[in-house]
């Protein structure tokens, strides 16, 4: 039987909309509900305890809205909080790390780079997952903290974005054959990152990989939505002023039908 309850997706800010976009493109019949915790962004420079607390709080909000599945569209929250939530009793939860790791291992010739927030890189979540999956792979992990504010500002392909990418990544050119974008903000900088690293490095977009994982989970749990004539409108909530988020969201989501961002007081 079809399950028409929404899928809940959250991130610290608007970066998780890259994940929402991929889920929407693959599964247009699914109703999607997005929460951007814009009052508390960034998560990437916060302590583990704080990120775990915010994550539980966000999941609680989505569950109260009646979602059938939660997508933690934030690598920082996936890295810090998901291992702490193994006993979670509510809606099933999908993170963003596993999909990226599997995709990277499939295509690499042995040298993988991982970039993410300070928290994600310091947590060693990717490094450990890659080591579990496959032996003998060389992994180079690097935090790129300035990328998140650039994306939140919409500065993804100007001189400043190119200069920052060069500063963080120029020395990885020729050193890694595969680069995992271990932050859901980074797919917005794909072109700029790709130019910096050159054609010899393939980028793994955690948004695409997470959408693939969501499909597998929906099938496993027999939770696919019924066919619709028209994709349901995306519901969009933020924890800070909606105006700014809406402008960036429109730029990121293009043609996708999304409701005006609505402020929610969950903190
Ligand atoms: N989008 C979040 C991630 O994937 C990071 C943004 C932040 O630092 O809050 O890690």
């Amino acid at each position: 039987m079809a399950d028409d309850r929404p899928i809940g997706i959250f991130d610290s800010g608007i970066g998780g909309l890259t994940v929402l976009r991929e889920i929407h493109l693959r599964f247009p019949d699914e109703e999607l509900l997005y929460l951007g915790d814009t009052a508390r962004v960034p998560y990437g420079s916060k302590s583990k305890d704080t990120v775990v607390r915010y994550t539980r709080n966000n999941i609680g909000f989505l569950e109260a809205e009646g979602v059938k599945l939660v997508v933690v569209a934030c690598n920082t929250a996936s890295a810090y909080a998901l291992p702490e939530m193994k006993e979670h009793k509510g809606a099933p939860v999908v993170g963003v790390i596993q999909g990226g790791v599997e995709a990277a291992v499939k295509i690499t010739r042995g040298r993988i780079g991982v970039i993410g927030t300070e928290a994600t890189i310091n947590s060693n979540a990717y490094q450990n997952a890659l080591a579990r999956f496959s032996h003998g792979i060389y992994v180079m992990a690097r935090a790129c903290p300035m990328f998140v504010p650039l994306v939140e500002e919409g500065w993804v392909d100007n001189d400043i974005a190119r200069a920052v990418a060069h500063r963080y990544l120029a020395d990885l050119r020729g050193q890694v054959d595969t680069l995992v974008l271990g932050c859901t903000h980074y797919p917005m900088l794909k072109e700029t990152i790709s130019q910096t690293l050159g054609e010899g490095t393939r980028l793994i977009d955690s948004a695409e990989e997470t959408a693939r994982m969501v499909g597998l989970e929906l099938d496993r749990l027999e939770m696919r939505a019924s066919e619709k004539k028209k994709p349901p409108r995306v519901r969009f909530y933020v924890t800070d002023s909606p105006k700014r988020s809406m402008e960036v969201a429109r730029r990121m989501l293009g043609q996708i039908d999304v409701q005006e961002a609505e402020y929610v007081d969950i903190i």
Side-chain angles (χ1 to χ4, degrees):
M1 225 182 67
D3 187 338
D4 281 325
R5 289 175 298 162
I7 296 175
I9 303 169
F10 84 86
D11 180 36
S12 56
I14 45 87
L17 291 171
T18 58
V19 177
L20 180 141
R21 185 178 54 197
E22 292 302 325
I23 295 175
H24 179 84
L25 292 175
R26 275 181 195 234
F27 313 112
D29 293 324
E30 298 291 340
E31 180 180 348
L32 304 180
L33 192 158
Y34 185 85
L35 172 67
D37 190 9
T38 48
R40 301 187 285 200
V41 68
Y43 284 9
S45 51
K46 302 218 164 51
S47 70
K48 180 172 176 176
D49 284 355
T50 299
V51 174
V52 172
R53 189 157 43 84
Y54 291 177
T55 301
R56 288 189 196 279
N57 186 206
N58 297 338
I59 291 177
F61 166 76
L62 294 171
E63 285 175 342
E65 291 293 311
V67 302
K68 61 183 172 187
L69 180 77
V70 172
V71 181
V72 180
C74 173
N75 286 266
T76 307
S78 298
Y80 269 165
L82 291 192
E84 304 294 316
M85 296 190 61
K86 291 216 170 75
E87 309 295 313
H88 181 66
K89 295 274 189 306
V93 178
V94 174
V96 280
I97 291 178
Q98 192 65 20
V101 165
E102 285 178 21
V105 168
K106 232 179 256 166
I107 65 163
T108 187
R109 295 188 307 278
R111 299 180 73 85
I112 297 179
V114 179
I115 56 174
T117 65
E118 275 177 283
T120 299
I121 298 304
N122 291 341
S123 76
N124 284 318
Y126 274 100
Q127 297 91 316
N128 292 339
L130 283 164
R132 262 199 309 278
F133 248 82
S134 171
H135 296 291
I137 288 182
Y138 170 79
V139 179
M140 206 169 190
R142 179 157 304 169
C144 303
M146 292 292 290
F147 280 170
V148 169
L150 283 173
V151 172
E152 292 279 328
E153 197 59 40
W155 289 9
V156 291
D157 56 3
N158 62 13
D159 287 349
I160 296 174
R162 279 187 285 277
V164 173
H166 185 83
R167 181 71 190 254
Y168 283 140
L169 304 174
D171 64 318
L172 293 190
R173 199 180 169 107
Q175 297 301 310
V176 293
D177 59 71
T178 305
L179 182 77
V180 181
L181 304 179
C183 172
T184 52
H185 282 70
Y186 297 179
M188 295 299 291
L189 286 159
K190 228 183 203 172
E191 288 300 308
T192 303
I193 293 172
S194 189
Q195 280 162 17
T196 310
L197 286 167
E199 282 173 6
T201 303
R202 289 169 68 181
L203 303 190
I204 302 286
D205 178 340
S206 52
E208 288 168 13
E209 296 312 318
T210 304
R212 190 175 58 79
M213 300 289 283
V214 166
L216 294 175
E217 199 61 3
L218 288 176
D219 287 341
R220 191 180 70 80
L221 299 165
E222 299 183 8
M223 277 184 175
R224 291 265 187 164
S226 59
E227 261 180 51
K228 314 271 183 326
K229 289 215 173 65
K230 181 167 161 270
R233 194 158 214 220
V234 173
R235 287 158 62 190
F236 186 19
Y237 298 99
V238 286
T239 55
D240 195 10
S241 158
K243 190 170 171 289
R244 229 182 102 78
S245 312
M246 206 55 221
E247 285 163 18
V248 189
R250 286 222 175 82
R251 234 184 358 252
M252 286 171 75
L253 296 178
Q255 298 303 311
I256 297 174
D257 184 18
V258 52
Q259 73 166 38
E260 283 297 315
E262 201 177 303
Y263 168 76
V264 282
D265 182 7
I266 63 166
I267 297 172

